[in-house]
Amino acid sequence: MAEKVTIATVARHAQVSRQTVSNVINAPQLVRPETRQRVQDAIVALGYRANQAARQMRTGRSRLIAVRIEPTRDGINGTVLDRFLHGLTETAEASGYRVMLYTAPDVDREIAAYGDLLSAYELDGFVITGTDHGDPRTAWLAEREIPFVTFGRPWDHPHAHSWVDVDGAAGTAEATAHLVTAGHHRTGFIGWPAGSGVGDDRRAGWRRALLDAGMDPDGLDVQTEDGIAEGARAARELLGRPVPPSALVCASDSLALGALQTLRSAGTAVPVIGFDDTPVAAAVGLSSVSQPLGDAAARCVDLLTDLLDGPHRDPRQVLLRPALVLRHPA
Amino acid sequence: MAEKVTIATVARHAQVSRQTVSNVINAPQLVRPETRQRVQDAIVALGYRANQAARQMRTGRSRLIAVRIEPTRDGINGTVLDRFLHGLTETAEASGYRVMLYTAPDVDREIAAYGDLLSAYELDGFVITGTDHGDPRTAWLAEREIPFVTFGRPWDHPHAHSWVDVDGAAGTAEATAHLVTAGHHRTGFIGWPAGSGVGDDRRAGWRRALLDAGMDPDGLDVQTEDGIAEGARAARELLGRPVPPSALVCASDSLALGALQTLRSAGTAVPVIGFDDTPVAAAVGLSSVSQPLGDAAARCVDLLTDLLDGPHRDPRQVLLRPALVLRHPA
DNA sequence: TTGTATGCGTTATCAG
DNA sequence: CTGATAACGCATACAA
């Protein structure tokens, strides 16, 4: 174990008082350049790093951000979190923060965990993923004035707090427009049941794109739960209609993959575009709408540190544009 | 923000000294049951949680474990880390530890990060993933007597330190045996170039299973880098041989997926079994060898806390058996 | 069994 | 601009 080098070691080495060292670190403008340089040299020479625990005791701030790692849902969409987490960690490091993980089986237990996290580690803030309509977690945090940013919009109150999100409607609209441009006059949509903010948003994009192109979306979409089997079933239903669609946009890669299976076994050449650009999509050559997860994570950290630096800043919102990734099925 | 409740608050509430409260928490046997109960009631009533920063200053231990989150490699195999991380967080929580994330673009920078992490946060230990032959990271940590556990064997020195790993050879052997039992007399293998511990191990399992069944593995395998395109090419090569294999075991799902593409377009009914049981495998109905990642993570935490509780315990090793997941391709 | 005193490394306050 | 001193919350010797 390396020798412990504290602020006192540095002070001795640089022939100044402990306080001067602290000033060099936290308020450099108070120290004469000459002295400052001597201290900084000593810091480098000794490899000094401020002890966070001691600093935290004094300042009450831990430079720690908490993120929940979810219990890997269906696996195929679950990989989104992975990339997001990496981006988060990377950006946080650059801003002098660290990411701490926690888990919770449900929302109630997650809120209980906040208490633990907050009183034991004095976390500076939270990044909350996967928010839903009237999310009790954000309410709990807001009530206690604990800084947080969500990845995902609060659909009911768009300006309630800081958030970062990806413009799903823009994504499906672009996918739809691409198919329209390619000459498809009947582009269908397989999406989730109405009521989920994310799902409604993605459907709205498809609808808007068709209307913009002067086409009628009616009778071209179907609502189903997420899943490969569900996607396959939905595609069968659409194909069985009197005037079937000639192309498909789906609300998720799972649905798209299922649709692809149906189409393949039916021998129909109907192009499909999925959503999320999961590894599965890349593997089977499925075109998909890709979320800029690295950017999203970076902006989450930006917004959160912004809140942390000035406690009473107004919340800010960031909406990112996804990208359409075109592939050729094998 | 909730009122700060310290050990003093509890002491006042329970009509005892601060010291008694500390004893109830850290050495309950020293306190009379009656008093102990009163203090514990006060703790619950006030929702007291020990402040980790203060505790750490005193004890030098942070109850923090560091794990690197990797920059999502090829996406298809990268999802392994995700599940592992979740298991790690969950088990660590149960043992009173928290997981802190860090990233590093390469090994040198990772080692540099250790210094930061250690001196700033006084981390208790590390979980290192993806070790390689003669890994400099483990050497660095061992030299400084910093507790760590690796997920992955140190192939050159099997007992150098504590580790958890999955028995890859057992996995490919089981897959091979399954195919042999199903009546296949020529089961081929697509694996990585010799030299990587993991790859050699998986190949060895296939080889052993064939020999055990009295079959000759010679001329039935091919070595290639990992990847879907590489798997497809390798499968083409195998099928072009004078006496082609009638079934295939692969060192990864990526390779297996590629092989599957080749076989499908060739119209050949050759079963393929992959490795890692990634979401992609599940999606396309590919049989695969599944690593017990949750267990592995749990054992990592066990081994690490073991090291932490008794600093000079002997290192321990855990080898877990993977499971063969059989599926029917769509 | 309980209370008292001390220090962990840092930063904030205030006097020089 | 610099230096002394107190305090953050906890745990540990030691005394009572």
Side-chain angles (χ1 to χ4, degrees):
Chain A
M1 194 80 82
E3 283 309 309
K4 209 172 292 179
V5 31
T6 77
I7 214 169
T9 324
V10 177
R12 215 177 310 126
H13 191 94
Q15 316 261 34
V16 295
S17 75
R18 292 205 308 268
Q19 181 49 29
T20 302
V21 178
S22 175
N23 281 339
V24 169
I25 297 166
N26 302 297
Q29 72 284 2
L30 295 183
V31 184
R32 194 194 322 159
E34 173 195 323
T35 316
R36 195 194 307 159
Q37 191 57 52
R38 205 170 68 231
V39 172
Q40 272 161 348
D41 289 347
I43 288 177
V44 172
L46 297 167
Y48 166 79
R49 274 103 160 184
N51 180 306
Q52 282 301 325
R55 169 174 288 179
Q56 174 182 341
M57 283 245 301
R58 250 331 261 184
T59 63
R61 295 188 44 183
S62 59
R63 303 200 76 82
L64 245 34
I65 296 173
V67 187
R68 172 176 173 204
I69 179 156
E70 296 171 53
T72 314
R73 293 165 305 178
D74 82 348
I76 169 165
N77 288 322
T79 54
V80 179
L81 183 65
D82 189 26
R83 289 188 281 161
F84 181 73
L85 264 189
H86 182 261
L88 212 56
T89 307
E90 203 164 46
T91 317
E93 274 179 19
S95 310
Y97 286 83
R98 292 276 168 193
V99 173
M100 183 181 278
L101 254 30
Y102 68 93
T103 44
D106 55 58
V107 175
D108 287 341
R109 305 254 236 138
E110 179 166 359
I111 289 180
Y114 294 162
D116 273 357
L117 256 8
L118 252 15
S119 51
Y121 291 92
E122 302 189 62
L123 290 160
D124 286 349
F126 289 80
V127 173
I128 311 286
T129 59
T131 51
D132 224 332
H133 281 290
D135 200 307
R137 300 172 298 168
T138 53
W140 194 95
L141 292 169
E143 199 178 311
R144 287 159 185 76
E145 294 184 21
I146 294 157
F148 71 92
V149 172
T150 65
F151 178 38
R153 271 162 282 186
W155 297 94
D156 26 17
H157 302 290
H159 296 282
H161 52 73
S162 287
W163 53 259
V164 174
D165 205 354
V166 174
D167 191 343
T172 47
E174 187 180 343
T176 306
H178 171 81
L179 294 167
V180 166
T181 306
H184 289 278
H185 292 276
R186 293 181 54 84
T187 300
F189 183 80
I190 302 179
W192 305 320
S196 82
V198 177
D200 296 351
D201 189 44
R202 293 184 186 176
R203 181 183 309 271
W206 159 79
R207 214 183 146 75
R208 197 184 63 213
L210 283 193
L211 292 174
D212 284 355
M215 296 169 175
D216 182 10
D218 283 351
L220 277 174
D221 72 321
V222 55
Q223 305 193 359
T224 177
E225 293 298 328
D226 198 47
I228 296 179
E230 287 79 358
R233 204 176 310 131
R236 265 197 302 278
E237 191 202 318
L238 280 174
L239 288 181
R241 294 192 180 171
V243 194
S246 63
L248 280 176
V249 172
C250 300
S252 77
D253 277 356
S254 302
L255 291 174
L257 219 66
L260 214 55
Q261 285 176 5
T262 292
L263 296 168
R264 186 174 287 160
S265 62
T268 331
V270 172
V272 179
I273 299 181
F275 206 110
D276 270 345
D277 191 28
T278 55
V280 185
V284 306
L286 169 70
S287 295
S288 190
V289 177
S290 170
Q291 304 201 36
L293 292 173
D295 286 356
R299 308 306 303 269
C300 281
V301 174
D302 288 348
L303 260 45
L304 191 55
T305 53
D306 204 57
L307 248 35
L308 260 24
D309 292 341
H312 292 295
R313 301 251 178 105
D314 284 338
R316 288 164 52 201
Q317 289 83 29
V318 173
L319 193 57
L320 298 170
R321 237 192 123 73
L324 179 59
V325 178
L326 295 173
R327 296 195 179 87
H328 306 284
Chain B
M1 194 80 81
E3 282 310 307
K4 210 171 290 179
V5 31
T6 78
I7 214 169
T9 324
V10 177
R12 213 177 311 128
H13 192 93
Q15 316 263 32
V16 294
S17 74
R18 292 204 307 267
Q19 180 51 27
T20 303
V21 178
S22 177
N23 280 340
V24 169
I25 297 166
N26 302 299
Q29 73 282 4
L30 295 181
V31 184
R32 194 193 321 159
E34 172 195 325
T35 316
R36 196 193 308 160
Q37 191 57 51
R38 204 169 69 231
V39 172
Q40 272 160 349
D41 288 349
I43 288 177
V44 172
L46 296 167
Y48 166 80
R49 275 104 161 184
N51 179 306
Q52 282 300 324
R55 169 174 287 179
Q56 174 184 340
M57 284 245 303
R58 222 16 222 148
T59 62
R61 295 187 44 181
S62 59
R63 302 198 77 82
L64 246 33
I65 295 172
V67 187
R68 171 175 174 205
I69 179 158
E70 296 171 51
T72 314
R73 293 165 305 177
D74 85 346
I76 170 166
N77 288 321
T79 54
V80 179
L81 182 66
D82 192 27
R83 289 189 280 162
F84 181 73
L85 265 188
H86 182 260
L88 212 56
T89 307
E90 203 164 46
T91 317
E93 273 180 20
S95 309
Y97 286 84
R98 292 277 169 193
V99 173
M100 184 181 278
L101 255 30
Y102 68 93
T103 43
D106 54 59
V107 176
D108 288 341
R109 306 253 236 139
E110 179 166 0
I111 290 181
Y114 293 162
D116 273 357
L117 257 6
L118 250 16
S119 51
Y121 290 93
E122 302 189 61
L123 290 160
D124 286 350
F126 289 79
V127 173
I128 310 286
T129 58
T131 51
D132 224 332
H133 281 288
D135 200 307
R137 301 172 298 168
T138 53
W140 194 94
L141 292 170
E143 198 177 312
R144 288 160 184 77
E145 293 184 25
I146 295 157
F148 71 92
V149 172
T150 66
F151 177 39
R153 272 163 280 184
W155 296 94
D156 27 16
H157 303 288
H159 296 282
H161 53 73
S162 287
W163 54 258
V164 174
D165 205 354
V166 174
D167 191 343
T172 46
E174 187 180 343
T176 307
H178 171 81
L179 294 168
V180 167
T181 306
H184 289 279
H185 293 275
R186 294 181 54 82
T187 300
F189 183 81
I190 302 178
W192 305 320
S196 83
V198 177
D200 296 350
D201 189 44
R202 293 184 186 175
R203 182 183 308 272
W206 158 78
R207 212 182 148 76
R208 196 184 65 214
L210 283 193
L211 292 173
D212 284 355
M215 296 170 176
D216 181 9
D218 284 349
L220 277 173
D221 72 322
V222 55
Q223 304 191 359
T224 176
E225 292 299 327
D226 198 47
I228 295 178
E230 287 79 358
R233 204 177 310 132
R236 265 196 303 279
E237 190 203 319
L238 280 175
L239 288 182
R241 293 192 181 171
V243 194
S246 64
L248 281 176
V249 172
C250 299
S252 77
D253 277 357
S254 303
L255 292 173
L257 220 64
L260 213 57
Q261 283 176 6
T262 291
L263 296 167
R264 185 173 289 157
S265 62
T268 332
V270 172
V272 179
I273 299 181
F275 205 110
D276 270 346
D277 192 28
T278 55
V280 185
V284 306
L286 169 70
S287 294
S288 191
V289 178
S290 170
Q291 304 202 36
L293 293 172
D295 286 356
R299 306 307 302 270
C300 281
V301 174
D302 288 349
L303 260 44
L304 191 54
T305 53
D306 204 57
L307 248 34
L308 261 22
D309 291 342
H312 293 294
R313 301 253 178 103
D314 283 337
R316 286 165 52 201
Q317 288 82 30
V318 173
L319 193 57
L320 298 170
R321 236 192 122 74
L324 180 59
V325 178
L326 295 173
R327 295 195 179 88
H328 306 285

